Amino acid sequence: MTGIDDLPIRDELRGKSPYGAPQLDVPVRLNTNENPHPLPEALVARIAERVTEAARHLNRYPDRDAVELRTELARYLTRTAGYGVAAENVWAANGSNEVLQQLLQAFGGPGRTALGFEPSYSMHALIARGTGTGWLSGPREADFRIDVAAARAVIAERRPHVVFVCSPNNPTGTAVGADTVLALYEAAQAARPSLVVVDEAYGEFSHRPSLLPLLDGRPNLVVSRTMSKAFGAAGLRLGYLAAAPAVVDAVQLVRLPYHLSAVTQATALAALEHTGTLLGYVEQLKAERDRLVTELRAMGCEVTDSDANFVQFGRFDGPGGAHAVWQALLERGVLVRDNGVPGRLRVTAGTPAENDAFLDAVRAVLKESNR
Ligand SMILES: *Cc1c(COP(=O)(O)O)cnc(C)c1O
């Protein structure tokens, strides 16, 4: 049978694996940072209504510029992120992964490079590869914060065209302060005028305010957001960015025409009518996250401070490392994530019952390994 390597595929894709968080059917799934709460019934009904209305016009292409949706996203950001933006500052796509891909298509690409501070969201590097953008891995401190002096040095030396800052960072949960982002932005502009992308996929879960106000007077700064996490709508596929209007003009040069289906736009608009209810779960999840941190520490785990809806914990340096613990938890019906960070795993805050099941499983695994 023909394998990938027999195909005339691009050299840089040979021998590579696709993004692959396992989608396993186990009782407790805490591996992909989804919101554990299904959408409220009132919202499900509103989605059905809006989608029904959209279905009446599916013979036509959707609003190519998604103006109504971008207006509502701008209103949401203005209300919650402490900085006023309008539709012209906002762009939406099928998940923030597509937003990031469009940014790299427009600002990265062959002969250009993007820098991220690892460990971080693995899709930044994968989207760089997919768009032919060179990838540069920048350093973090032992506690996973960004080492500002080292970061500035890398930026000055390598002069990347795009710099990713993930805050709160996935998979560590680490929030990045405005002062750090400003230092990196200034270093990046001094090296060459480059785009700085702040990935705030978990922004709503943070103790810190959004970095959105930093957009003021910074034309090469972008904040990306998603409805996949705080809104509990991972299945919807809706991500968005806020930036200067020129950045929005730039991504329109590379987006596919009619990339956001009328069904997606209608569903997202329905969800935005219910932000109050949806974000109600955020406070509950933050409390559960804090409980996971406390209880894991009480068991003797090393836990990274988290501003997100997940917690990085370890250290598992025994035989088989973190992966052996991942496997042992799976055997107890609990799926967490092994992001490849040595000695550490990541667990998503679930419902209180799911978190109890997870904590019981960790206790049992630790007890077993101490025998
Ligand atoms: C989950 C996640 C995304 C979002 O992905 P979507 O495509 O919007 O579902 C983006 N960035 C980070 C850091 C994430 O963890």
PDB file of all heavy atoms in Angstrom, residues 331-349:
ATOM      1  N   GLU A 331      -5.952   3.668  32.862  1.00  0.00           N
ATOM      2  CA  GLU A 331      -6.466   2.362  33.279  1.00  0.00           C
ATOM      3  C   GLU A 331      -7.523   2.498  34.364  1.00  0.00           C
ATOM      4  O   GLU A 331      -8.350   1.613  34.548  1.00  0.00           O
ATOM      5  CB  GLU A 331      -5.303   1.457  33.731  1.00  0.00           C
ATOM      6  CG  GLU A 331      -4.607   0.835  32.517  1.00  0.00           C
ATOM      7  CD  GLU A 331      -3.157   0.455  32.777  1.00  0.00           C
ATOM      8  OE1 GLU A 331      -2.771   0.292  33.961  1.00  0.00           O
ATOM      9  OE2 GLU A 331      -2.405   0.324  31.778  1.00  0.00           O
ATOM     10  N   ARG A 332      -7.510   3.626  35.077  1.00  0.00           N
ATOM     11  CA  ARG A 332      -8.558   3.898  36.069  1.00  0.00           C
ATOM     12  C   ARG A 332      -9.678   4.768  35.482  1.00  0.00           C
ATOM     13  O   ARG A 332     -10.467   5.358  36.219  1.00  0.00           O
ATOM     14  CB  ARG A 332      -7.943   4.584  37.291  1.00  0.00           C
ATOM     15  CG  ARG A 332      -7.153   3.599  38.130  1.00  0.00           C
ATOM     16  CD  ARG A 332      -6.368   4.286  39.239  1.00  0.00           C
ATOM     17  NE  ARG A 332      -5.784   3.285  40.113  1.00  0.00           N
ATOM     18  CZ  ARG A 332      -4.710   2.559  39.800  1.00  0.00           C
ATOM     19  NH1 ARG A 332      -4.098   2.740  38.654  1.00  0.00           N
ATOM     20  NH2 ARG A 332      -4.243   1.662  40.646  1.00  0.00           N
ATOM     21  N   GLY A 333      -9.710   4.850  34.176  1.00  0.00           N
ATOM     22  CA  GLY A 333     -10.825   5.555  33.517  1.00  0.00           C
ATOM     23  C   GLY A 333     -10.698   7.060  33.476  1.00  0.00           C
ATOM     24  O   GLY A 333     -11.680   7.770  33.250  1.00  0.00           O
ATOM     25  N   VAL A 334      -9.477   7.570  33.708  1.00  0.00           N
ATOM     26  CA  VAL A 334      -9.281   9.026  33.716  1.00  0.00           C
ATOM     27  C   VAL A 334      -8.268   9.398  32.637  1.00  0.00           C
ATOM     28  O   VAL A 334      -7.120   8.959  32.672  1.00  0.00           O
ATOM     29  CB  VAL A 334      -8.771   9.510  35.096  1.00  0.00           C
ATOM     30  CG1 VAL A 334      -8.532  11.019  35.078  1.00  0.00           C
ATOM     31  CG2 VAL A 334      -9.780   9.139  36.187  1.00  0.00           C
ATOM     32  N   LEU A 335      -8.708  10.206  31.681  1.00  0.00           N
ATOM     33  CA  LEU A 335      -7.832  10.619  30.580  1.00  0.00           C
ATOM     34  C   LEU A 335      -7.329  12.035  30.835  1.00  0.00           C
ATOM     35  O   LEU A 335      -8.110  12.978  30.936  1.00  0.00           O
ATOM     36  CB  LEU A 335      -8.610  10.570  29.257  1.00  0.00           C
ATOM     37  CG  LEU A 335      -7.866  10.952  27.975  1.00  0.00           C
ATOM     38  CD1 LEU A 335      -6.659  10.049  27.738  1.00  0.00           C
ATOM     39  CD2 LEU A 335      -8.813  10.901  26.776  1.00  0.00           C
ATOM     40  N   VAL A 336      -6.000  12.176  31.018  1.00  0.00           N
ATOM     41  CA  VAL A 336      -5.391  13.501  31.144  1.00  0.00           C
ATOM     42  C   VAL A 336      -4.465  13.669  29.945  1.00  0.00           C
ATOM     43  O   VAL A 336      -4.481  12.863  29.010  1.00  0.00           O
ATOM     44  CB  VAL A 336      -4.646  13.684  32.487  1.00  0.00           C
ATOM     45  CG1 VAL A 336      -5.611  13.564  33.649  1.00  0.00           C
ATOM     46  CG2 VAL A 336      -3.480  12.711  32.617  1.00  0.00           C
ATOM     47  N   ARG A 337      -3.629  14.704  29.947  1.00  0.00           N
ATOM     48  CA  ARG A 337      -2.815  14.971  28.762  1.00  0.00           C
ATOM     49  C   ARG A 337      -1.336  14.886  29.094  1.00  0.00           C
ATOM     50  O   ARG A 337      -0.881  15.471  30.081  1.00  0.00           O
ATOM     51  CB  ARG A 337      -3.149  16.379  28.234  1.00  0.00           C
ATOM     52  CG  ARG A 337      -2.540  16.684  26.880  1.00  0.00           C
ATOM     53  CD  ARG A 337      -3.288  15.976  25.774  1.00  0.00           C
ATOM     54  NE  ARG A 337      -2.542  16.087  24.523  1.00  0.00           N
ATOM     55  CZ  ARG A 337      -2.607  17.107  23.711  1.00  0.00           C
ATOM     56  NH1 ARG A 337      -3.397  18.119  23.982  1.00  0.00           N
ATOM     57  NH2 ARG A 337      -1.885  17.138  22.607  1.00  0.00           N
ATOM     58  N   ASP A 338      -0.637  14.161  28.251  1.00  0.00           N
ATOM     59  CA  ASP A 338       0.825  14.151  28.308  1.00  0.00           C
ATOM     60  C   ASP A 338       1.310  15.032  27.174  1.00  0.00           C
ATOM     61  O   ASP A 338       1.264  14.651  26.012  1.00  0.00           O
ATOM     62  CB  ASP A 338       1.336  12.710  28.142  1.00  0.00           C
ATOM     63  CG  ASP A 338       2.853  12.630  28.146  1.00  0.00           C
ATOM     64  OD1 ASP A 338       3.506  13.697  28.322  1.00  0.00           O
ATOM     65  OD2 ASP A 338       3.397  11.523  27.976  1.00  0.00           O
ATOM     66  N   ASN A 339       1.721  16.242  27.523  1.00  0.00           N
ATOM     67  CA  ASN A 339       2.155  17.197  26.499  1.00  0.00           C
ATOM     68  C   ASN A 339       3.631  17.058  26.154  1.00  0.00           C
ATOM     69  O   ASN A 339       4.180  17.879  25.435  1.00  0.00           O
ATOM     70  CB  ASN A 339       1.913  18.643  26.962  1.00  0.00           C
ATOM     71  CG  ASN A 339       0.449  18.947  27.142  1.00  0.00           C
ATOM     72  OD1 ASN A 339      -0.104  18.712  28.213  1.00  0.00           O
ATOM     73  ND2 ASN A 339      -0.185  19.442  26.118  1.00  0.00           N
ATOM     74  N   GLY A 340       4.274  16.051  26.730  1.00  0.00           N
ATOM     75  CA  GLY A 340       5.691  15.861  26.442  1.00  0.00           C
ATOM     76  C   GLY A 340       6.601  16.716  27.314  1.00  0.00           C
ATOM     77  O   GLY A 340       7.806  16.753  27.093  1.00  0.00           O
ATOM     78  N   VAL A 341       6.033  17.420  28.304  1.00  0.00           N
ATOM     79  CA  VAL A 341       6.878  18.161  29.245  1.00  0.00           C
ATOM     80  C   VAL A 341       7.430  17.128  30.225  1.00  0.00           C
ATOM     81  O   VAL A 341       6.656  16.421  30.880  1.00  0.00           O
ATOM     82  CB  VAL A 341       6.074  19.248  30.004  1.00  0.00           C
ATOM     83  CG1 VAL A 341       6.985  20.033  30.937  1.00  0.00           C
ATOM     84  CG2 VAL A 341       5.373  20.177  29.023  1.00  0.00           C
ATOM     85  N   PRO A 342       8.763  17.010  30.324  1.00  0.00           N
ATOM     86  CA  PRO A 342       9.340  15.931  31.135  1.00  0.00           C
ATOM     87  C   PRO A 342       8.805  15.921  32.565  1.00  0.00           C
ATOM     88  O   PRO A 342       8.787  16.956  33.237  1.00  0.00           O
ATOM     89  CB  PRO A 342      10.847  16.249  31.122  1.00  0.00           C
ATOM     90  CG  PRO A 342      11.058  17.039  29.866  1.00  0.00           C
ATOM     91  CD  PRO A 342       9.786  17.835  29.674  1.00  0.00           C
ATOM     92  N   GLY A 343       8.332  14.740  33.001  1.00  0.00           N
ATOM     93  CA  GLY A 343       7.913  14.560  34.391  1.00  0.00           C
ATOM     94  C   GLY A 343       6.567  15.172  34.732  1.00  0.00           C
ATOM     95  O   GLY A 343       6.159  15.152  35.890  1.00  0.00           O
ATOM     96  N   ARG A 344       5.876  15.726  33.742  1.00  0.00           N
ATOM     97  CA  ARG A 344       4.630  16.433  34.074  1.00  0.00           C
ATOM     98  C   ARG A 344       3.465  16.038  33.178  1.00  0.00           C
ATOM     99  O   ARG A 344       3.641  15.675  32.025  1.00  0.00           O
ATOM    100  CB  ARG A 344       4.856  17.945  33.971  1.00  0.00           C
ATOM    101  CG  ARG A 344       5.779  18.451  35.066  1.00  0.00           C
ATOM    102  CD  ARG A 344       6.034  19.927  34.904  1.00  0.00           C
ATOM    103  NE  ARG A 344       6.669  20.488  36.089  1.00  0.00           N
ATOM    104  CZ  ARG A 344       7.979  20.462  36.309  1.00  0.00           C
ATOM    105  NH1 ARG A 344       8.791  19.886  35.459  1.00  0.00           N
ATOM    106  NH2 ARG A 344       8.474  21.004  37.406  1.00  0.00           N
ATOM    107  N   LEU A 345       2.270  16.173  33.749  1.00  0.00           N
ATOM    108  CA  LEU A 345       1.029  15.935  33.022  1.00  0.00           C
ATOM    109  C   LEU A 345       0.124  17.150  33.194  1.00  0.00           C
ATOM    110  O   LEU A 345       0.372  17.990  34.065  1.00  0.00           O
ATOM    111  CB  LEU A 345       0.329  14.678  33.569  1.00  0.00           C
ATOM    112  CG  LEU A 345       1.094  13.366  33.398  1.00  0.00           C
ATOM    113  CD1 LEU A 345       0.398  12.250  34.180  1.00  0.00           C
ATOM    114  CD2 LEU A 345       1.223  12.980  31.922  1.00  0.00           C
ATOM    115  N   ARG A 346      -0.915  17.213  32.375  1.00  0.00           N
ATOM    116  CA  ARG A 346      -1.856  18.332  32.460  1.00  0.00           C
ATOM    117  C   ARG A 346      -3.269  17.781  32.609  1.00  0.00           C
ATOM    118  O   ARG A 346      -3.661  16.876  31.876  1.00  0.00           O
ATOM    119  CB  ARG A 346      -1.768  19.174  31.176  1.00  0.00           C
ATOM    120  CG  ARG A 346      -2.582  20.462  31.214  1.00  0.00           C
ATOM    121  CD  ARG A 346      -2.734  21.053  29.820  1.00  0.00           C
ATOM    122  NE  ARG A 346      -3.653  20.256  29.033  1.00  0.00           N
ATOM    123  CZ  ARG A 346      -3.835  20.393  27.707  1.00  0.00           C
ATOM    124  NH1 ARG A 346      -3.130  21.280  27.031  1.00  0.00           N
ATOM    125  NH2 ARG A 346      -4.701  19.629  27.074  1.00  0.00           N
ATOM    126  N   VAL A 347      -4.003  18.342  33.565  1.00  0.00           N
ATOM    127  CA  VAL A 347      -5.396  17.910  33.754  1.00  0.00           C
ATOM    128  C   VAL A 347      -6.310  19.116  33.593  1.00  0.00           C
ATOM    129  O   VAL A 347      -6.048  20.198  34.123  1.00  0.00           O
ATOM    130  CB  VAL A 347      -5.591  17.237  35.140  1.00  0.00           C
ATOM    131  CG1 VAL A 347      -5.259  18.203  36.283  1.00  0.00           C
ATOM    132  CG2 VAL A 347      -7.020  16.717  35.294  1.00  0.00           C
ATOM    133  N   THR A 348      -7.403  18.923  32.867  1.00  0.00           N
ATOM    134  CA  THR A 348      -8.398  19.978  32.696  1.00  0.00           C
ATOM    135  C   THR A 348      -9.352  19.960  33.880  1.00  0.00           C
ATOM    136  O   THR A 348      -9.751  18.876  34.330  1.00  0.00           O
ATOM    137  CB  THR A 348      -9.212  19.722  31.411  1.00  0.00           C
ATOM    138  OG1 THR A 348      -8.309  19.587  30.316  1.00  0.00           O
ATOM    139  CG2 THR A 348     -10.194  20.859  31.141  1.00  0.00           C
ATOM    140  N   ALA A 349      -9.721  21.136  34.382  1.00  0.00           N
ATOM    141  CA  ALA A 349     -10.730  21.197  35.442  1.00  0.00           C
ATOM    142  C   ALA A 349     -12.076  20.757  34.875  1.00  0.00           C
ATOM    143  O   ALA A 349     -12.576  21.350  33.918  1.00  0.00           O
ATOM    144  CB  ALA A 349     -10.820  22.613  36.009  1.00  0.00           C
TER     145      ALA A 349
END
